[in-house]
């Protein structure tokens, strides 16, 4: 069965600190996709990144970076120099590799990040 | 280009009642998925509709049913509401054309069951 674990329930940091959100996944599929979504207080899930199981290259987008390690089944998300606007709940998600729009997402429980001025 | 829209924004019902939530997918999308997000938890997959048929279903009872219309919009119906059905209901749309297709989420409908 597929499963996503986000062990950190809440993280509190002061602005400009770096913060890493952990994500560990379980799947028997050889082809799968991993995601990170941001959910601000408004409730809408905002897509941040998708990574497929064959691409273990780390990715950086501005202050955001992602570290994917198949050996440890982890897909961690780091925010550098955090800002108050980064305060939100962040979800890691997993889907199987079947394409065509049929992919259901399996979400972790989320990590609530609070960035204080 | 309008994104995914959902209505209503908020809804209050009492136990035993029935509720219908609505979703309009992003332009060009033909697949609609529904998720339930209880307070403090991650979204859980309810079901997915494509070509007006239910294609996949999560671990939800038959009280949860849906429909997709020819214009790809969708409804989620919940019968015999329980207190535990209180949650944010998220709709996501995607397209079956192309390779991997992202799911775009709407703002959700917050359902409160009293």
């Amino acid at each position: 069965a597929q499963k996503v674990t986000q062990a950190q329930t809440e993280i509190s940091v002061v602005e400009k600190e770096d913060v890493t959100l952990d994500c560990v996944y379980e799947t028997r599929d050889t082809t799968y996709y991993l995601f990170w979504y941001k959910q601000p207080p408004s409730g809408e899930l905002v897509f941040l990144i998708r990574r497929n199981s064959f691409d273990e290259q780390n990715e950086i987008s501005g202050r955001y970076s992602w570290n994917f390690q198949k050996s440890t089944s982890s897909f961690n998300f780091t925010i550098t120099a955090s800002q108050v606007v980064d305060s939100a709940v962040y979800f890691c998600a997993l889907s199987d590799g079947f394409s065509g729009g049929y992919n259901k997402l399996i979400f972790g429980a989320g990590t609530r990040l609070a960035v204080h001025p | 280009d309008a994104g995914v829209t959902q209505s209503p924004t908020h809804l209050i019902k009492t136990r035993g009642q029935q509720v219908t939530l609505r979703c309009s997918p992003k332009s060009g999308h033909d697949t609609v998925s529904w998720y339930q997000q209880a307070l403090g938890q991650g979204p859980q997959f309810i079901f997915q509709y494509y070509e007006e048929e239910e294609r996949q279903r999560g671990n939800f009872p038959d009280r949860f049913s849906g429909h997709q219309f020819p214009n790809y919009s969708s409804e989620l119906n919940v019968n015999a509401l329980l207190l535990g059905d209180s949650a944010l209901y998220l709709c996501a749309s995607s397209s079956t054309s192309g390779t991997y297709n992202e799911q775009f989420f709407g703002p959700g409908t917050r359902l409160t069951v009293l």
Side-chain angles (χ1 to χ4, degrees):
Chain A
Q2 297 178 315
K3 184 180 179 182
V4 175
T5 301
Q6 295 180 255
Q8 304 151 309
T9 305
E10 293 189 32
I11 300 177
S12 180
V13 300
V14 176
E15 218 172 9
K16 298 184 182 178
E17 282 186 35
D18 298 346
V19 57
T20 295
L21 309 181
D22 298 333
C23 173
V24 174
Y25 64 92
E26 296 175 29
T27 181
R28 295 178 182 170
D29 296 331
T30 55
T31 303
Y32 52 89
Y33 293 87
L34 295 164
F35 305 80
W36 277 94
Y37 283 87
K38 175 182 180 179
Q39 188 175 45
S42 62
E44 189 166 344
L45 285 170
V46 178
F47 168 80
L48 296 178
I49 189 172
R50 180 188 78 228
R51 173 68 70 212
N52 73 51
S53 53
F54 297 108
D55 183 2
E56 287 194 72
Q57 280 192 338
N58 292 333
E59 181 156 338
I60 298 175
S61 176
R63 297 184 296 106
Y64 296 170
S65 62
W66 291 270
N67 179 259
F68 175 30
Q69 292 193 335
K70 287 180 74 172
S71 60
T72 56
S73 297
S74 65
F75 186 43
N76 296 336
F77 173 32
T78 297
I79 302 174
T80 302
S82 60
Q83 300 177 1
V84 173
V85 293
D86 295 328
S87 297
V89 181
Y90 290 86
F91 291 98
C92 181
L94 166 72
S95 78
D96 61 34
F98 183 77
S99 62
Y102 296 160
N103 315 71
K104 69 178 182 182
L105 295 170
I106 307 297
F107 285 88
T111 297
R112 180 177 298 277
L113 175 64
V115 182
H116 302 284
Chain B
D1 178 24
V4 180
T5 60
Q6 293 186 242
S7 64
T9 305
H10 295 87
L11 205 50
I12 299 175
K13 292 286 188 179
T14 57
R15 281 176 296 175
Q17 286 189 313
Q18 178 264 344
V19 68
T20 297
L21 311 182
R22 295 177 175 82
C23 171
S24 291
K26 184 178 170 63
S27 178
H29 285 185
D30 55 10
T31 301
V32 173
S33 302
W34 287 92
Y35 292 81
Q36 180 196 64
Q37 185 179 12
L39 195 62
Q41 298 182 23
Q44 292 201 353
F45 176 76
I46 303 175
F47 43 53
Q48 183 180 78
Y49 276 84
Y50 171 67
E51 291 189 334
E52 302 179 49
E53 289 189 0
E54 183 181 292
R55 298 301 299 234
Q56 291 191 76
R57 189 178 184 91
N59 189 25
F60 279 81
D62 292 344
R63 298 187 297 108
F64 289 77
S65 63
H67 188 76
Q68 185 179 36
F69 299 93
N71 66 353
Y72 307 119
S73 67
S74 176
E75 288 181 350
L76 163 65
N77 301 294
V78 186
N79 295 324
L81 284 168
L82 303 174
L83 295 179
D85 295 331
S86 295
L88 179 68
Y89 288 85
L90 295 163
C91 168
S93 74
S94 56
S95 170
T96 53
S97 62
T99 52
Y100 189 89
N101 300 294
E102 306 296 345
Q103 293 191 28
F104 290 80
F105 283 83
T109 293
R110 186 162 298 280
L111 172 65
T112 302
V113 182
L114 302 176

